[in-house]
């Protein structure tokens, strides 16, 4: 049974889904069957998104609901065996195109974590992020010796927010497991467990740095795979500084073909 304390937040989820005209997700999954009497109280469908395809509407809804839902969307974007292609393509945009938090806050977090003014840490730190995702965003910087790096910074307050939303996501998973007609194929509780495991790893950037360092050592030849160097003196729990490497995204097929790369060999 869903705990009563999460019911108000379930109502908010329902309200956002309805506002983005995702009624089919509310009705087909029967997630809010006990709350139908309250449906007139939730937000009316938004007119400005009427012309958007369903995948785009779902992406915007997940973004509005917050980081934990964005992460769930990211996971689902990789499960093309479960999610229609048009939705998976839209959800893939959640990997690095989430609304950023202010660069000044990122700068403050870096200084707090590394215990020095930004000017002592880097010769240049660009407050405009290169990319922004649900858990962290990435800034370009230059070391005092001229080497280019990227600095990954956790979103402010993300730990507390994720702690709250994981409980809500688990309740949603339990409801979907019970009511969704395709629950045996979607396996919502498995998706939730995968999201929780990913979040546990992503909230400690030192752990991510350790994994990257191990991978770099295993492929030290640089022939098949080049892994950026971790700058450990500029890394902490909420900040990760990596060597900057320029290249093509692995899922940008058009760019890979334009560069003349052999996709089969790759």
């Amino acid at each position: 049974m869903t705990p009563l304390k999460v019911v108000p937040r379930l109502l908010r989820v329902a309200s956002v889904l309805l506002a983005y005209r995702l009624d089919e997700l509310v009705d087909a999954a029967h997630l809010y069957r006990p709350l139908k009497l309250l449906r007139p109280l939730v937000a009316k469908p938004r007119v400005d998104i009427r012309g958007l395809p369903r995948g785009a509407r779902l992406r915007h809804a997940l973004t509005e609901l917050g980081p934990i839902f964005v992460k769930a969307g990211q996971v689902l974007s990789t499960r093309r065996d479960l999610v229609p292609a048009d939705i998976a393509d839209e959800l893939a945009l959640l990997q690095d195109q989430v609304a950023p938090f202010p660069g000044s806050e990122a700068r403050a977090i870096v200084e707090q974590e590394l215990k020095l003014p930004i000017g002592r840490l880097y010769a240049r730190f660009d407050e405009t992020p290169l990319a922004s995702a649900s858990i962290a965003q990435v800034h370009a910087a230059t070391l005092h010796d001229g080497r280019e790096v990227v600095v990954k910074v956790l979103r402010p307050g993300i730990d507390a927010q994720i702690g709250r939303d994981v409980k809500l996501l688990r309740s949603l998973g339990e409801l979907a497991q019970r009511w969704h007609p395709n629950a045996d194929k979607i396996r919502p509780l498995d998706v939730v467990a995968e999201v929780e495991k990913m979040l546990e790893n992503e909230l400690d950037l030192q752990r991510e740095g350790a994994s990257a360092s191990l991978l770099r050592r295993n492929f030290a030849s640089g022939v098949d795979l080049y892994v950026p160097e971790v700058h450990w003196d500029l890394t902490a729990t909420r900040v990760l500084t990596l060597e900057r490497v320029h290249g093509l995204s692995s899922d940008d097929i058009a760019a890979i073909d334009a560069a003349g790369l052999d996709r089969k060999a790759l």
Side-chain angles (χ1 to χ4, degrees):
M1 179 178 295
T2 303
L4 290 177
K5 61 184 178 182
V6 303
V7 168
R9 299 173 74 189
L10 287 174
L11 274 175
R12 178 175 180 269
V13 174
S15 178
V16 172
L17 292 177
L18 292 173
Y20 282 92
R21 309 184 73 87
L22 294 166
D23 305 57
E24 64 273 17
L25 295 182
V26 177
D27 291 333
H30 302 287
L31 295 180
Y32 304 101
R33 178 176 284 177
L35 307 175
K36 279 191 173 181
L37 291 176
L38 298 178
R39 186 165 183 163
L41 302 179
V42 302
K44 300 296 182 183
R46 290 177 49 167
V47 177
D48 59 317
I49 51 85
R50 182 176 299 165
L52 293 178
R54 60 179 183 173
R57 286 182 277 120
L58 178 58
R59 173 170 58 85
H60 287 300
L62 293 177
T63 299
E64 183 170 324
L65 286 170
I68 192 78
F69 292 91
V70 171
K71 179 56 63 179
Q74 291 173 351
V75 172
L76 285 174
S77 74
T78 68
R79 296 303 307 272
R80 292 176 181 266
D81 56 324
L82 301 176
V83 180
D86 62 312
I87 293 180
D89 288 342
E90 282 289 340
L91 295 182
L93 298 177
L94 295 173
Q95 299 290 345
D96 58 8
Q97 297 185 29
V98 179
F101 61 90
S104 58
E105 293 187 31
R107 180 190 184 111
I109 291 172
V110 171
E111 292 182 332
Q112 179 182 10
E113 286 289 300
L114 301 180
K115 314 299 184 186
L116 284 172
I118 204 78
R120 294 271 302 279
L121 299 167
Y122 308 98
R124 181 186 65 85
F125 180 86
D126 189 352
E127 292 192 4
T128 302
L130 289 172
S132 182
S134 59
I135 304 298
Q137 66 187 30
V138 177
H139 294 260
T142 305
L143 302 181
H144 289 288
D145 61 9
R147 287 180 292 171
E148 290 187 324
V149 295
V150 291
V151 185
K152 185 174 183 178
V153 185
L154 289 185
R155 286 183 173 270
I158 191 67
D159 305 70
Q161 184 172 358
I162 283 178
R164 294 191 302 268
D165 286 349
V166 160
K167 296 178 182 178
L168 175 59
L169 192 62
R170 195 179 298 117
S171 294
L172 286 170
E174 291 169 352
L175 286 170
Q177 184 72 42
R178 179 178 179 182
W179 294 110
H180 200 287
N182 296 318
D184 58 327
K185 297 180 181 179
I186 299 175
R187 302 191 302 276
L189 291 179
D190 289 347
V191 173
V192 172
E194 185 174 351
V195 171
E196 287 189 66
K197 183 177 180 180
M198 291 175 63
L199 289 172
E200 180 182 351
N201 292 331
E202 290 191 32
L203 288 176
D204 185 352
L205 295 184
Q206 287 181 314
R207 181 179 298 184
E208 181 175 334
S211 297
S213 294
L214 178 60
L215 195 63
R216 178 179 172 85
R217 185 164 69 247
N218 290 342
F219 289 89
S221 66
V223 175
D224 298 314
L225 179 68
Y226 184 82
V227 181
E229 178 186 2
V230 177
H231 292 272
W232 283 107
D233 56 329
L234 297 170
T235 293
T237 301
R238 300 168 68 200
V239 176
L240 173 64
T241 301
L242 295 167
E243 171 189 5
R244 185 172 186 179
V245 177
H246 298 272
L248 304 175
S249 175
S250 62
D251 60 358
D252 191 343
I253 304 301
I256 290 174
D257 288 343
L261 297 176
D262 183 341
R263 274 195 272 148
K264 185 175 180 180
L266 182 61

